[in-house]
Amino acid sequence: QVQLVESGGGLVQAGGSLRLSCAASGSIFSINAMGWYRQAPGNPRELVAITSSGGRTNIADSVKGRFTISSDNAKNTVTLQMHSLKPEDTAVYYCYARYTLVRDVWGQGTQVTVSS
């Protein structure tokens, strides 16, 4: 199994920056992809950015050009760097991992609040 622990998040003014990190432990050799989703009140959970073990990256159009995702295989971490934050980026952000090709695991979630 894989466990995920998130850090970062908080309150920031519009136009500011935040960084979220997620550390994986357990059967890390079986991880196929790691990334971030977010869920705002009343909305479904949506993909923000994801990176695969093969190095491919997918970033949502709504954050493209403002957010970047990076991974550190040596530390088993994935980081979401967020710039030019907008109030509509306010949500709970969840770290996600797909492992053994068919299993999904989620972090506990971290709140990001962007004030106008």
Side-chain angles (χ1 to χ4, degrees):
Q1 291 192 350
V2 172
Q3 297 81 40
L4 304 174
V5 176
E6 301 150 342
S7 59
L11 174 64
V12 65
Q13 289 187 333
S17 299
L18 282 175
R19 184 171 63 186
L20 306 180
S21 293
C22 177
S25 61
S27 302
I28 57 175
F29 60 89
S30 65
I31 293 176
N32 311 116
M34 287 184 70
W36 294 90
Y37 283 70
R38 69 185 181 186
Q39 187 168 20
N43 289 348
R45 193 170 295 189
E46 62 176 4
L47 173 69
V48 178
I50 194 165
T51 182
S52 72
S53 57
R56 287 186 295 181
T57 298
N58 186 23
I59 299 178
D61 289 342
S62 59
V63 304
K64 200 168 290 184
R66 300 187 295 121
F67 292 11
T68 58
I69 187 169
S70 61
S71 62
D72 185 334
N73 293 331
K75 297 181 179 179
N76 305 314
T77 60
V78 64
T79 298
L80 184 69
Q81 182 67 55
M82 305 182 290
H83 297 296
S84 303
L85 283 159
K86 304 176 182 180
E88 51 264 43
D89 294 319
T90 295
V92 178
Y93 284 68
Y94 295 91
C95 184
Y96 161 85
R98 166 66 64 90
Y99 65 105
T100 65
L101 297 177
V102 296
R103 295 186 178 183
D104 298 329
V105 62
W106 297 90
Q108 77 278 8
T110 185
Q111 178 70 45
V112 171
T113 302
V114 184
S115 63
S116 57

